């Protein structure tokens, strides 16, 4: 029994248990021997009531006949089925003569179940399979599931007639035909326009309708439809068929859960805030809402996009409430970086910039704008958002310029890579989203689109871009830190996300089109022939998986009240996730090498 105790005490998920609990487990161990080729677990069979740990030898994990992992001494299998009560998703076969320890459900044995470190749910492949099966959230359901029938009316009909038609049909909105255009009228329009006497009940309904309408295809998921609602700040979407014909309406209040509606409620609270204190109170709802959305099963990239939209709404409202802070000239505020791309992580800070209109006289408003920007950024931090610690902020004169100065410096970056900071600053500026004075704020992206990018610049920028390599190396095939607070750790953000984001950004700059998110940029590059379809698929899937993993780590940090980090220990990942990451990193590194050698011919 001592041999069992010593072995279990060294292996996750048992290594954090107290000695008496490990001894209880050791007392329940059964030893089983499996000859090479023996199928130990069969996918789709009845849910397991026991788990296995490999003591000697090795086993293969099979996904529909394909080997997806090889487990060795100390690795566990069968635990997903035990913990969920679901049939096993994978088969497991002895790759050689193998000795296993068999244990009943450890939760029924140990006294302190919270110490069982079942981080095996981090398994990327298993997560996707579970999400696609019994644990699938309503968020992934089709939007037609909650679709309501349409009440139709002509724009010439009176408000009274349309209100009666809506009442008779027990619906809260109606679609209005107005020539070649469609409009929408809702209960809120009747309350806000007719109820206060602004519009007569006998006036044509076109007087209160909203146009154009916002539509979604009938194969859209609830998560995607919900994201569009938050981004557009609306509570109704018109569902259309393959021929763009309206077939129904989905309302925010009909969505599946209170958790799913939270960001809409937060956005409403943001937009109705009358002072900084009220705005700060509304902003404090953001992080708990991210946790709840994650728990409903919404993909991390959707939750990140929602976060970006809500942060943008906070900044827009903050700027409105800060009108008393005088500025000498019209200017546009921009978000930069991952927040601008719609790919922030829960603990991301907010990078900002300013473009101001050129003045006819010789007055330089830079210092005054810098002072006002600092006050606004201070208020932003009162709302729980953090400015960039590396200086990418609107009160830094590097990121606060006149329109003509932005044009001049952007052109300089794109034509002369030897200019100080050209490669870094052009990369930062390529990820920008204007929040106010949109035409003025598009100065940077318009300049990138209009400026001819020299091969000298693109070559230098590519070398700068490819300097970030996936961490393939030494400990279980990863490069890790060997000293400092992150000793033994792997930075999934800098080593996993950044290489893919940076290559996608380079491709966007090379094409002169920096719109959209990383995945959008990769798809455009594949359409243009700069990437093969296979390369684009590899990069997109790796980006989704790594982003999901980092997002979940940060959500766990928020939930536990500890400081979030994108650092993770490879040894704390289960073997399937390690294998998946390792193969993703290798594939990304191979694409980097191939692209470095072929970029000029591809262009």
């Amino acid at each position: 029994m001592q041999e069992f105790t010593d072995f279990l005490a060294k292996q996750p998920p048992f290594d954090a248990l107290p000695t008496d609990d490990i001894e209880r487990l050791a007392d329940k161990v059964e030893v089983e021997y499996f000859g090479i080729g023996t199928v130990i677990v069969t996918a789709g069979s009845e849910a397991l009531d026991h788990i296995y740990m490999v003591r000697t030898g090795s086993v293969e994990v099979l996904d529909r006949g394909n080997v997806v992992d090889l487990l060795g001494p100390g690795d566990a299998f069968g635990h997903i089925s035990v913990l969920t009560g679901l049939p096993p998703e994978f088969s497991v076969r002895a790759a050689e003569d193998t000795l296993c320890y068999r244990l009943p459900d450890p939760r029924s044995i140990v006294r302190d179940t919270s110490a069982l470190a079942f981080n095996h749910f981090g398994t990327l492949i298993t997560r996707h399979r579970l999400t696609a099966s019994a644990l699938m959230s309503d968020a992934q359901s089709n939007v037609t599931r909650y679709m309501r029938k349409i009440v139709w009316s002509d724009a010439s009909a009176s408000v009274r007639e349309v209100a009666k038609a809506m009442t008779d049909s027990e619906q809260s909105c109606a679609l209005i035909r107005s020539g070649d255009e469609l409009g929408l009228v809702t209960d809120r329009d009747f309350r806000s326009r007719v109820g206060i006497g602004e519009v007569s009940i006998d006036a044509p309904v076109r007087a209160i309708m909203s146009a154009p309408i916002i539509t979604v295809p009938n194969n859209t998921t609830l998560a995607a439809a919900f994201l569009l609602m938050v981004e557009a700040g609306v509570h109704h979407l018109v569902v259309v068929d393959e021929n763009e014909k309206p077939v129904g309406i989905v309302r925010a209040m009909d969505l599946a859960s209170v958790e799913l509606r939270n960001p809409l409620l937060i956005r409403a609270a943001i937009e109705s805030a009358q002072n900084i204190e009220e705005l700060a109170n509304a902003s404090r709802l953001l992080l708990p809402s991210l946790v709840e959305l994650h728990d409903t099963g919404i993909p991390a990239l959707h939750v990140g996009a929602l976060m970006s939209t809500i942060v943008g709404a906070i900044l827009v409202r903050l700027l409105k409430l800060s009108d008393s802070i005088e500025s000498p000239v019209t200017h546009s505020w921009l978000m930069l970086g991952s927040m601008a791309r719609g790919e922030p992580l829960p603990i991301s800070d907010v990078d900002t910039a300013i473009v101001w209109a050129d003045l006819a006289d010789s007055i330089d408003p830079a210092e005054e704008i810098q002072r006002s920007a600092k006050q606004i950024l201070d208020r932003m931090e009162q709302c729980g958002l953090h400015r960039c610690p590396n200086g990418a902020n609107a009160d830094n004169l590097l990121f606060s310029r006149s329109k003509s100065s932005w044009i001049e410096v952007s052109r300089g970056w794109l034509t002369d890579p030897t200019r100080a900071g050209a490669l870094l600053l052009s990369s930062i500026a390529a990820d920008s989203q204007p929040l106010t004075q949109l035409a003025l704020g598009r100065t940077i992206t318009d300049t990138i689109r209009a400026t001819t990018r020299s091969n000298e610049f693109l070559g230098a920028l590519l070398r700068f871009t490819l300097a970030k390599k996936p961490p393939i190396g030494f400990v279980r095939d990863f490069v890790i830190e060997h000293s400092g607070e992150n000793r033994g750790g792997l930075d999934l953000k800098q080593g996993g996300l950044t290489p893919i984001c940076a290559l996608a950004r380079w491709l966007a700059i090379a094409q002169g089109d920096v719109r959209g998110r990383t995945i959008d940029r990769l798809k455009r590059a594949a359409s243009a022939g700069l990437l093969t379809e296979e390369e684009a698929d590899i990069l997109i899937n790796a980006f989704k998986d790594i982003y999901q993993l980092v997002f979940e780590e940060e959500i766990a940090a928020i939930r536990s009240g500890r400081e979030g980090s994108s650092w993770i220990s490879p040894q704390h990942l289960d073997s399937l996730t390690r294998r998946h990451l390792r193969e993703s990193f290798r594939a990304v590194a191979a694409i980097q090498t191939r692209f470095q050698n072929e970029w000029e011919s591809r262009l």
Side-chain angles (χ1 to χ4, degrees), residues 42-44 61-68 88-93 125-126 128-130 132:
T42 302
V61 180
L62 306 172
D63 183 9
R64 288 163 288 190
N66 299 314
V67 177
V68 296
E89 290 285 347
F90 305 101
S91 296
V92 180
R93 180 178 64 199
I125 297 173
T126 302
H128 298 329
R129 294 290 296 276
L130 288 174

Side-chain angles (χ1 to χ4, degrees), residues 68-234:
V68 296
D69 204 0
L70 183 68
L71 308 182
D75 288 327
F77 60 94
H79 49 282
I80 295 294
S81 179
V82 170
L83 295 174
T84 63
L86 297 172
E89 290 285 347
F90 305 101
S91 296
V92 180
R93 180 178 64 199
E96 56 184 306
D97 292 345
T98 300
L99 196 68
C100 289
Y101 290 166
R102 173 174 165 153
L103 286 163
D105 184 348
R107 296 172 300 178
S108 65
I109 300 172
V110 303
R111 292 181 179 177
D112 183 11
T113 57
S114 65
L116 286 168
F118 279 109
N119 58 4
H120 301 69
F121 277 111
T123 301
L124 295 170
I125 297 173
T126 302
R127 182 190 308 115
H128 298 329
R129 294 290 296 276
L130 288 174
T131 300
S133 59
L135 301 183
M136 186 177 75
S137 163
D138 275 352
Q140 300 307 307
S141 300
N142 192 284
V143 71
T144 55
R145 178 177 176 183
Y146 295 93
M147 187 172 71
R148 290 174 170 263
K149 71 177 184 179
I150 298 175
V151 176
W152 286 98
S153 180
D154 292 323
S156 59
S158 69
V159 168
R160 184 199 305 270
E161 291 170 330
V162 177
K164 184 178 186 306
M166 288 167 54
T167 301
D168 292 345
S169 300
E170 298 183 343
Q171 301 299 329
S172 63
C173 59
L175 271 184
I176 311 299
R177 299 184 186 92
S178 180
D180 295 332
E181 186 177 46
L182 290 178
L184 181 74
V185 64
T186 70
D187 279 346
R188 182 178 180 183
D189 296 319
F190 287 96
R191 292 194 304 272
S192 63
R193 304 289 302 282
V194 182
I196 64 173
E198 179 183 331
V199 176
S200 166
I201 60 173
D202 294 313
V205 74
R206 70 166 61 91
I208 62 171
M209 77 176 191
S210 301
I213 60 173
I214 298 178
T215 65
V216 292
N218 58 8
N219 60 355
T220 303
T221 65
L222 282 180
F226 176 68
L227 172 58
L228 180 58
M229 283 184 180
V230 177
E231 288 179 333
V234 299

